[in-house]
Amino acid sequence: MNQLHIIKIGGNIIDDEAKLDTFLDHFAQLKGNKILIHGGGKLATSLAKELGVEQQLIDGRRITDSETLKITAMVYAGLVNKTIVAKLQAKSCNAIGLSGVDGNSIKSTKRVHPTINYGWVGDVETINVNFFQDIIDKRIVSVISPITHDGKGNLLNTNADTIATEIAIALSNQNNVKLRFCFEKLGVLLDPEDDSSWISQLDLNQYETLKTKEIISKGMLPKLENAFRAVNSKVTKVEICHADYANKQGEDFIGTQII
Amino acid sequence: MNQLHIIKIGGNIIDDEAKLDTFLDHFAQLKGNKILIHGGGKLATSLAKELGVEQQLIDGRRITDSETLKITAMVYAGLVNKTIVAKLQAKSCNAIGLSGVDGNSIKSTKRVHPTINYGWVGDVETINVNFFQDIIDKRIVSVISPITHDGKGNLLNTNADTIATEIAIALSNQNNVKLRFCFEKLGVLLDPEDDSSWISQLDLNQYETLKTKEIISKGMLPKLENAFRAVNSKVTKVEICHADYANKQGEDFIGTQII
């Protein structure tokens, strides 16, 4: 099976043009088949503020009312997605920007929760494997924004870590998938205040301990839940690392491997 | 050769959700291979106003400064494009939303003009025929937003009528292309104030006369220049009609055929 790199890039990198450019340089240099999933970043939040649309977050997940959904569709599927693709094209990396509606590639269901109304938030239901595999076979890089759809005409805001995980799992039948969650830290930190406290490996027992001690919290929780789900499925390798190490392999790599 | 319907839908239809839904019903019912190109509508203008970004138009073409470019990328490539695709998916019409950056499908060059600085406005340079033909062969409908790129990492705002025309011409080598510009009028009008004054045919001589008399003016000029360019190339049929007639054929059709 061919190797397939699936990289999720976090919002903090997207928010900073210089960091994004550096990351995209690294990503473009990465050899072989690859897919990029991008988060949202603060752009949506700042646009909402400018437009007077109030924002709510619960457990690191955005509550998506109708106006916020429009903003996320504009920022994630529009500006961020097309900016990334334009930059990759300039680096001779042929890419296609996609949201879950496109080619019915990621269908999700509107989240139903007993007490919290998340609004237009979607949980991934199906990944259109043939659609993505066909793009891979053409040596085109899919750049995926975290906007999916319910098949009833509604767009849904979806967690980008989850999308990366679901795509990685779905494509593992036909590819040797390496999944990397890249962000602004060197890996999973034992002290959230100390960037040098990253660990090279993390297993489920250690994760549960760190979670209980609240050393791992907030946005890292859904990321790591996803990472463990991927590693417990057919995904070959799952790593969490700094965006600068997105394309590093073997001894050059710094980051946390999920085992 | 297979028939290919290429339909450009104007901004006035996109601005009105009920009209857009009706149009998309008609479009989804249209049998055979098809491509949809959408304009921008007033959404970008109203968003710019809300954000305090001043807008300038020269000859019906938007002057696109950096902030305006971001707004058009958000609105056209993001919100409008993905909303249309989600609605088509709900009507069992498998579609993919694309901008010119995606798959390097539409490359353009930043407009250089001796006296007017149009800003980030692009004139179409190349259409990636293989890319679009491949999507057609998969029976997927391309839904194209008027955002292109220059290959140097920049997005460019591009006239949607021109994109429709260039795609129609480029795909005419492999397809029997019918190009329709759909908007809120019944066709080319002899009296701009009288909706019933539409004419069933328009040739170049008549066009030049109507232009001189200023009966045809403003936004209709680039549309008709494009329409005549298409009909003088290999495009089989070029028509201008109301969005309600987008899928009507033969005797059921009302509109202006460009001859």
Side-chain angles (χ1 to χ4, degrees), chain A residues 82 89 95 97 101-103 134 138, chain B residues 82 95 97 101-103 134 138:
Chain A
K82 300 315 165 194
Q89 294 290 358
V101 282
D102 299 316
D134 189 64
K138 290 203 165 55
Chain B
K82 300 314 165 194
V101 280
D102 298 316
D134 189 63
K138 289 201 167 55

Side-chain angles (χ1 to χ4, degrees), chain A residues 173-213:
Chain A
N173 283 326
Q174 288 162 275
N175 304 271
N176 176 7
V177 176
K178 286 183 85 168
L179 171 63
R180 272 185 187 173
F181 297 94
C182 299
F183 65 156
E184 74 285 7
K185 307 280 180 187
L186 288 173
V188 175
L189 304 182
L190 288 183
D191 175 0
E193 304 301 313
D194 178 7
D195 278 359
S196 69
S197 69
W198 62 277
I199 49 176
S200 62
Q201 289 193 325
L202 180 70
D203 65 21
L204 197 56
N205 284 337
Q206 201 178 0
Y207 168 59
E208 294 294 349
T209 309
L210 292 171
K211 202 168 74 172
T212 309
K213 290 181 177 169

Side-chain angles (χ1 to χ4, degrees), chain B residues 85 102 115 237:
Chain B
V85 175
D102 298 316
T115 55
K237 210 169 200 180

Side-chain angles (χ1 to χ4, degrees), chain B residues 7-23:
Chain B
I7 295 193
K8 151 77 199 315
I9 183 71
N12 283 306
I13 306 300
I14 288 163
D15 288 332
D16 183 319
E17 202 180 336
K19 283 183 188 168
L20 179 61
D21 278 335
T22 305
F23 165 73

Side-chain angles (χ1 to χ4, degrees), chain A residues 6 11 48 102 163 165 218:
Chain A
I6 298 186
D102 299 316
I163 289 179
T165 302
K218 294 179 194 165

